[in-house]
Every structure is written in C-alpha cells, then in structure tokens.
Amino acid sequence: MAIPIGLALGIPVLLALFSILATLVIEWRYPRVGEIAPVDGIDLHYVVWPGEGAGADIPPALFIHGATGNLHDQMSAMAPFRGQLPMIFIDRPGHGYSGRGHGHDRPDGQARAIAALIATIAPEGVTAVGHSFGGAVALNLAMSHPDRVRGLVMLSPATHPWPGGATSWYYRLAARPVVGRFFAWTLAMPGGFLRRDSGIACVFAPNRPPKGYASAAAIELAFRPRHFRANAIDVEGLFDHVTATQDRYSSVTCAAVILTGDRDTVVYEHVHSVGCARDLPNAALFVIRNCGHKSDYAAPRAVLAAVARVSGYPIKGIASVESEIAGVEAAIAADRHGPDCVLEKPGDAGDLLAAAETARLPAT
C-alpha cells in the first residue's frame, strides 16, 4: 500500500523537530563547563584542573577523548585523582562545545588546533594522553608538533590500517554529503537513545561500565546532529589518514607508553597497539589481561603511572605501571559483562600480544 505523500513528508519533519528539541534539552542538561580559546580558526572548549599536590615542574597531562565522546569522558575517569597533577581536558574539534572549522576532520588538523591551545595555556609542553581515536590525534600532535609534547600516553589507540578498513554502516551513511545530513537530523537522535546502553556495554565489555557512566560522560552530547555527523566524518576518514601517515611514526622520539586491553571489542589491539610499539622508537607496550576498550576507566591508576613514567615525575600514591596493572588484572579477572560483540581476530593475535608484552622502556 502506498504511503500518503503528507505522511511521507511529515515523518521526517517530526523527526527533525524531535532532534532540535532533544538537542536543546541535552545542552540544558550538559552545558559548557570550561573555557573557550580561539585557536586555528575555531573556538576550542577546554577545562584545566590545577595540580595542587604536584611539583611546579611536572608538565600537565592533556587528555584527548575518543570517538562519540567529549571532555567529560576523561574528566569522569580522572575525577578521583584531581589535584595530583595538572590536567587539561579538551573537546576535539566538532565535539562537545568546540567548533569544527575547515581542515579539522582528520587527526592532523585536530592536532594542529590542540597544539595552538597548548602554546597558549601550557607553553612548556604537555604529556599528551589519547584514548582510541584520541590516540591518533595525540600521536599526530607528537609527530607534527614535537615542541608541544614532552611525553606520549596512548590508551587503546586507533592508529594503523586495519583489515578491510570497514566501519559501522551508520558512520558511512552519516558521513555522506547530502543523505548524511538528512540522516543526522532525522534518525541519529532517536537511534542514539535506543542504542545508548547497548553501545556502552559493548565498548566496556567484558568489564562493567561504572554506574551512571552515560550521565557522567555526557554521552548524549554526541547524539546532536552536528556532533553526530562530525564524529562520523572523523571515523570514516581515519583509515585513509593512518594509511597515509603510518610511515612517519618513527619520527616520534619522545618517551611513549601504550596501554591496551586484550579483550578490546572496538579496535584490533594487535594491529594498533602492537603497531605503535613497533613503530615508535621509544615506546613501551603494556597489555592488561581481560580488559576491554575502556582502559582509561578500567585502569586509571595505570594511566597515571604511565604519565609519571614518560614525564619522569613521580605522582604521589601511584606505583609503577607494572604494579598498577597487576592490581587492575586481579580486580577484573572475573569480568564477563556486556553483549557478545567481541571482534573476530586472526589466530595469531594472542601470540603477537604476548610477544609485545615484553617490550619495555629503560627503567626511569
């Protein structure tokens, strides 16, 4: 039976109205919380936490969130450690409350904007900490702006070409010029709400998401049409970007630590994390057993231990990376949470991770 023309036109209009109203509610619930800096032609949103208990010389740790995220994600993970060292949290261009502008849809363009911010608020440089897609941005920051990065920590990074180069269908659709805008303004918002909890469970699997994570991390900001589309364009362009830039990774000479789980449901850790350990001349890879993609939440103390390691400054109450990981592994060994969404990986992936786990930086 044919659908009446009025109904066919009316449904998209109603969905767009829903998206507009929901955006207003989401922005009321999760307003801007930081400062705005005009850099590289855009407004970049950031938050600074001073390090009241840290030495004056310790460089700030600058946290760069992953896909479908914003600065609240890493702020929530690091909240128990506020004050132990200076911390900076940013909304990547096009995410949260940062502008997008021209040329900020790839990790190198986003790194350029972040480098301009660092020059303004932390001219002595930072320890760049990037999770997932943010790992690619942090790596480009260290590669193209080495004077701004004193150390590099990558958490479950996405940095290398992966088998097939495929992404989720909704990223491919939303990234398209015309139909992508239509999709983002009609179906992305209701679809985001419907898939929110299952998506969070999949990203954390096999570990349990913290109670109230969706609210603490302001996940719904990513459902807004412009944010959703910017995120899709980021993800869709990543494969081509890392393919074009991976041969330059060896130019990154600062100390680096890579933390990854061996049960990641989002990225192939044996491709990305092992690839970083192979390609970066001063990197150490640490694999956390039975840890999923959200290593920033599963092992926040290990993250700070990695920051201390690459910066050369101890952090009060934080032990070595090895010791902190041992504690994490004991705590999450029995985790079996989340849906059955584990990526299929080649049979030799476990052997690669086991071999890579022996890589270490010289003791500091």
Side-chain angles (χ1 to χ4, degrees):
M1 184 175 66
I3 299 176
I5 294 177
L7 183 61
L9 295 175
I11 290 176
V13 170
L14 289 175
L15 288 171
L17 287 174
F18 171 76
S19 296
I20 292 170
L21 292 174
T23 294
L24 294 174
V25 173
I26 289 168
E27 292 180 348
W28 173 76
R29 290 186 63 195
Y30 306 107
R32 199 186 84 190
V33 295
E35 303 296 325
I36 292 291
V39 293
D40 202 41
I42 62 171
D43 289 337
L44 205 62
H45 181 224
Y46 69 97
V47 169
V48 176
W49 286 354
E52 295 93 346
D57 295 330
I58 186 169
L62 184 143
F63 290 83
I64 307 174
H65 64 82
T68 321
N70 62 81
L71 56 75
H72 286 278
D73 197 5
Q74 269 64 58
M75 283 175 61
S76 178
M78 291 294 114
F81 310 100
R82 183 170 182 171
Q84 291 188 241
L85 77 160
M87 299 183 190
I88 303 169
F89 304 89
I90 62 164
D91 281 334
R92 289 193 289 106
H95 300 255
Y97 285 94
S98 286
R100 183 70 160 185
H102 178 70
H104 298 108
D105 56 348
R106 299 291 176 96
D108 55 351
Q110 296 185 16
R112 185 179 64 246
I114 294 168
L117 176 68
I118 295 170
T120 301
I121 66 173
E124 298 302 316
V126 302
T127 298
V129 185
H131 173 254
S132 194
F133 190 101
V137 178
L139 182 52
N140 275 262
L141 185 61
M143 183 169 60
S144 300
H145 309 276
D147 54 327
R148 303 301 177 202
V149 178
R150 296 170 61 177
L152 181 63
V153 176
M154 290 185 287
L155 313 174
S156 310
T159 53
H160 285 70
W162 57 95
T167 60
S168 297
W169 67 268
Y170 47 87
Y171 288 141
R172 296 193 297 273
L173 183 60
R176 296 177 66 180
V178 177
V179 71
R181 287 185 174 86
F182 178 83
F183 177 74
W185 280 97
T186 56
L187 296 175
M189 182 73 77
F193 279 113
L194 288 172
R195 296 192 70 255
R196 186 193 67 180
D197 292 343
S198 62
I200 290 172
C202 189
V203 171
F204 274 87
N207 313 121
R208 185 188 297 275
K211 187 176 181 180
Y213 168 76
S215 178
I219 293 299
E220 291 169 6
L221 286 172
F223 302 164
R224 297 171 301 165
R226 288 188 179 90
H227 187 160
F228 187 91
R229 184 165 149 74
N231 185 61
I233 292 171
D234 284 355
V235 174
E236 270 300 287
L238 183 60
F239 183 86
D240 288 344
H241 175 81
V242 298
T243 300
T245 57
Q246 63 175 333
D247 290 341
R248 296 175 50 213
Y249 293 168
S250 60
S251 68
V252 176
T253 57
C254 66
V257 166
I258 305 123
L259 293 179
T260 191
D262 68 350
R263 297 284 306 281
D264 199 323
T265 64
V266 177
V267 302
Y268 293 106
E269 65 270 26
H270 69 285
V271 171
H272 303 278
S273 293
V274 172
C276 285
R278 178 193 64 231
D279 295 343
L280 301 180
N282 294 309
L285 171 63
F286 296 88
V287 179
I288 306 170
R289 294 181 177 87
N290 204 45
C291 178
H293 187 59
K294 291 296 283 178
S295 51
D296 49 346
Y297 276 81
R301 292 178 60 88
V303 173
L304 292 185
V307 170
R309 182 174 183 131
V310 301
S311 70
Y313 290 89
I315 299 174
K316 185 177 180 181
I318 300 297
S320 68
V321 179
E322 293 89 345
S323 295
E324 297 294 354
I325 286 178
V328 170
E329 289 180 335
I332 66 174
D335 282 5
R336 299 291 186 273
H337 303 292
D340 183 17
C341 53
V342 178
L343 292 171
E344 294 184 4
K345 300 166 186 174
D348 63 351
D351 293 338
L352 283 170
L353 285 169
E357 199 173 10
T358 63
R360 293 291 185 267
L361 283 170
T364 57

